[in-house]
Amino acid sequence: MDAAEASELQARLAAAVYALNHDASPSARLAANQWLLALQRSPQAWAVATSLLAAPDPPPPADLLFFATQMLRRKIQSPGPALPGLGLAPQLLDALLLAARRFCAAPAPRQLLTQICLALAALALRAEGGVDGLFARMPHLPPPAVLELLTVLPEEAAQDQGGDTGVDAAARCRFTRELLAHAPAVLEFLHGQSEKAPTDDDGVPLHERNRRILRCLLSWVRVGCFSETPAAALATHPLLTFAFNSLQELPEAFLSKTPYIREVLLLPALANPSEKIIAGLACLMCEVGQAAPALVAEGGSQALALTDGLLRCVDFTSEDWEIAESTFQFWCSLAHFILGIDVKTAKRNVVQELFVPVFSSLLDALLFRAQIDTDSDGAPCIPEGLTQFRMNLEELLVDICLLLGAPAYINKLFSGGWDFSSQTIPWKEVEVRMYALSMVADTILQDESSFDFSIIMHFVNILSSRTPELNGSLFLVYKSFGDVIGSYSKWLSSSQSNIKPLLLFCASGISKSISSNACSLALRKLCEDAPSFIHEPQNLEILFWISEGMNKGNLQLEDEEEIISAITHALSSVSEKELKKSSLARLLCSSYSAVEKIIDIDRDQSIRQNPAAYTQSLDLAVRGLYRMSALFHHLATSVTSGLVDDDIIIVLIGILWPLLEKLFRSYHMENVNLSAAVCRSLSSVIHSCGLIIDHNLPMLLRSLATKEEYGALCVRTFETLSSASSISALNSSYTCDQEPDLVEAYTYFTSMFIRCCPKEAIVASSSLLELSFQKAAICSTAMHRGAALAAMSYMSCFLEAVLAAVLESPECIPNGSPGVALIQILARCGEGLLSNVLYALLGVSALSRVHKSATILQQLAALCSFCEGTAWKAVLSWNSLCGWLQSTVKSLPSEYLKQGEAEIIVPLWLKVLQDAGSDYLYSRTGDNIRSHQGYMQGKGGRTLKRIIRDFAESHRNVPIPSPS
């Protein structure tokens, strides 16, 4: 082809490319496309394309050059003998390298350089020695061209998804090996580029150069450039450090776009509400801010645009609170960064002063979004989303308080400018500000500043004197004030004049279901923090009024117990003994009446015939028993601390006991809930009086109407309780699962009986204790976790009592001692105990019982091991444990053990049990005594627990049967 023909062909090519890209006529574009395809298939394509790339300045149009380079690449990739002869291939390589050098910088479009490099990579893949030849010529190229060429070269190592089928897999493997031979030089080049100073004048901005370096590095990582690098060397490689450092530049780049995002995207979306756009922009801005809190803390215009945009997102009112809540993490991270700056530096003061207005505005927005609302009919309206929003708000409110400072935070909350006439008080604002005050109580209390809480007392007076006009969920104001009173009770109760209105407020709040728990806790705090002021007669009357109001039965049991404990605490600290005695008796009697009414039903069958009335009476009686239990439970602590004398306890028991005796003889004990409540009450009574019984038995006998001995009284109580139908029915794990509360109460009572009752009572109750021990063993296999663990706790308590008796008298067996009775029970029930413990370790709920089971087995092993060398061997020995274990394993159905497991368990467990028992005995004898800390001590104890856990883990999916 001569020069004239070449010139004409170039002109036609230029016209066809122009028509393809710019002509408005579809037919013209179609004709141009067909002509270009024909040219690409012709031999003349090589010459015309290379001549265009080598054309003198000014160069041809960019789209013409782009097509010429693309055409060369496709010719190179075409299957078959498409490449020119060996003599022309080096010329083509030189032409492409010259083009890469010429068009590697502006004004040439970057896409043109990419196409040139892709053509070079395709040529290197197909030409003999192409990779080495290309790398030999690279030093003559400018760095931008080298970087682009190195980026696209590894891409040829993978099969071309665009249809490049001209190269087989073997050739690509060879190409990959040749590339990786040059990997060290490539990484060295990239390292050098990464260390170039920002001022280096190569025509490429720094952030763009870093982006290109990372893109190139990624291509070589994909082809395996680090595959031979040791892990230790890889972790410290400078290019990886460069990559991590480059990530830090991203937030700065994004932050620079924040003003645009705010003005062009966010503000229009807020003006014409589009929740999806607002939520997406809020998420984006939060991610940017969280990634670089230090940049935001610098407080530049871009950072302030970011915080302003996110403040608007928080303030945006929508049907839910997700958008506002999505910003919490950003605000917390920013606050943590500011608070983390050294407080002594000037920088901390400058940054904090700059962002105080921002966080002050944030507090306003959060308080607005956290407000409760009511429907038009005044019905409660506290959406689940708002409840969750408030729960998640605590950390951020604490951070705001720390940043603003406690005085400024409180001043912000109290600066509502409210009219103190109760008809015009904006209760929604008051409630949310009290909520915000209670959330930061720990932070405020740690501050050494003094605060004026008179505004709180003003509202307390309004709320305690009469119920304001509050609709629906606005009654939540009582809960928020209750939380504030409980949190700041020491400050609020420091003035005697505040006590009465505070108690009246608690009484009012307790009567409302939404605030009963908060006000119950507030009452307890007041009784603990201001006992001397509460002892004023008028304040004591308020406490009695509160206790008598509980007979209505409209509170949660937990709240009633909290209230009784609070009042008991206050009365226990009354200094005048007779007033203390009469006050505690009056408090007991306030619960006494509810139980007395259920006994009266025995004489008035009309109530029994009315199911609704009878159920209500039973419920009130159960509540009364739980309250009495709470009273005696708290008194046990008061006895220990010396606040309550022994004779007061005896007087109170004298009031209660006749009532319990009548209750034992009534048919109402068949009710499960009543039985459980009686168990709880008896446990608390026995626990409190067990502390004083040894030296006060004569006084107690004179006080009790029956004049029985205390031990006989305990035995008769145990007999009556055990004969109740609800207790008798606890004879299977299924029944235990149906009545878990009863199981817990019964086993707690039996534990207290063993620990606190006189020795003669334990001996006399041996048959009852054996029955209770058998029931506990059965209950330990229940699916209900609480019931099973309560039963195991009782068995452990039983074994502890046996151990104590044996250790006390190893050489002889004392006649009539409780130890003899208890060890005989164990000897008869040991196999059942071991069998049920093993069954408790089967199934999905077994892991929660590993510790209790291991403790019981260690105690049992310690007992049997110790008895082996003492006078007790006739009753219990190591052979006893061996026989029980062998019998238990043998009785297990074969499908519940793995093949050969039965033969392994017995010798393995016996060896581990022996070591664990020795460890426990060592911790309980001589100078090693550690009260109640012997369990799981030493290597043997830890090994036992591991063996038990492994057994439970490996049998989790076993569908367990009930033990026979």
Side-chain angles (χ1 to χ4, degrees), residues 793-808:
S793 293
Y794 167 54
M795 291 192 291
S796 179
C797 173
F798 188 100
L799 292 171
E800 180 70 22
V802 179
L803 268 167
V806 170
L807 290 172
E808 184 180 345

Side-chain angles (χ1 to χ4, degrees), residues 590-618:
S590 66
S591 302
Y592 187 103
S593 58
V595 183
E596 196 172 36
K597 288 178 181 176
I598 196 71
I599 296 172
D600 291 341
I601 294 176
D602 292 338
R603 297 188 296 271
D604 183 3
Q605 292 295 321
S606 61
I607 297 180
R608 183 67 185 267
Q609 293 167 2
N610 184 339
Y614 180 64
T615 300
Q616 183 182 23
S617 298
L618 271 177

Side-chain angles (χ1 to χ4, degrees), residues 28 222 273 384 390 412 425 432 495 498 565 733 857 860 890:
R222 285 173 175 164
E384 184 178 348
R390 284 184 162 215
K412 185 79 174 174
I425 292 176
V432 77
S495 172
N498 289 346
S565 295
S733 59
L857 291 176
L860 189 60
K890 185 178 180 180

Side-chain angles (χ1 to χ4, degrees), residues 888-952:
T888 297
V889 173
K890 185 178 180 180
S891 65
L892 277 174
S894 58
E895 61 267 27
Y896 297 112
L897 293 176
K898 299 173 185 176
Q899 187 173 7
E901 189 175 16
E903 290 76 18
I904 297 173
I905 283 181
V906 174
L908 173 64
W909 281 32
L910 284 175
K911 175 63 173 68
V912 174
L913 283 168
Q914 191 169 34
D915 293 342
S918 298
D919 285 346
Y920 178 67
L921 288 173
Y922 176 78
S923 70
R924 292 297 306 275
T925 56
D927 297 331
N928 307 305
I929 295 177
R930 295 185 294 273
S931 180
H932 303 294
Q933 296 180 12
Y935 316 125
M936 305 300 104
Q937 297 293 320
K939 183 179 178 181
R942 292 190 295 271
T943 303
L944 173 62
K945 188 171 183 179
R946 179 179 58 80
I947 291 291
I948 297 299
R949 182 178 297 280
D950 291 346
F951 181 83

Side-chain angles (χ1 to χ4, degrees), residues 634-680:
H634 193 91
L635 284 178
T637 305
S638 299
V639 169
T640 305
S641 61
L643 288 174
V644 175
D645 295 336
D646 300 346
D647 59 336
I648 295 180
I649 297 289
I650 295 172
V651 168
L652 296 177
I653 294 176
I655 296 173
L656 174 63
W657 203 264
L659 180 71
L660 292 178
E661 283 197 301
K662 293 177 184 177
L663 195 58
F664 290 150
R665 291 193 291 267
S666 73
Y667 56 81
H668 308 296
M669 285 294 288
E670 298 173 2
N671 182 270
V672 172
N673 294 331
L674 191 69
S675 298
V678 169
C679 287
R680 178 77 68 86

Side-chain angles (χ1 to χ4, degrees), residues 140-170:
H140 304 293
L141 293 177
V146 175
L147 198 56
E148 186 65 22
L149 182 55
L150 290 176
T151 301
V152 301
L153 266 175
E155 295 174 5
E156 288 293 336
Q159 179 68 34
D160 189 347
Q161 299 300 315
D164 179 11
T165 57
V167 180
D168 59 21

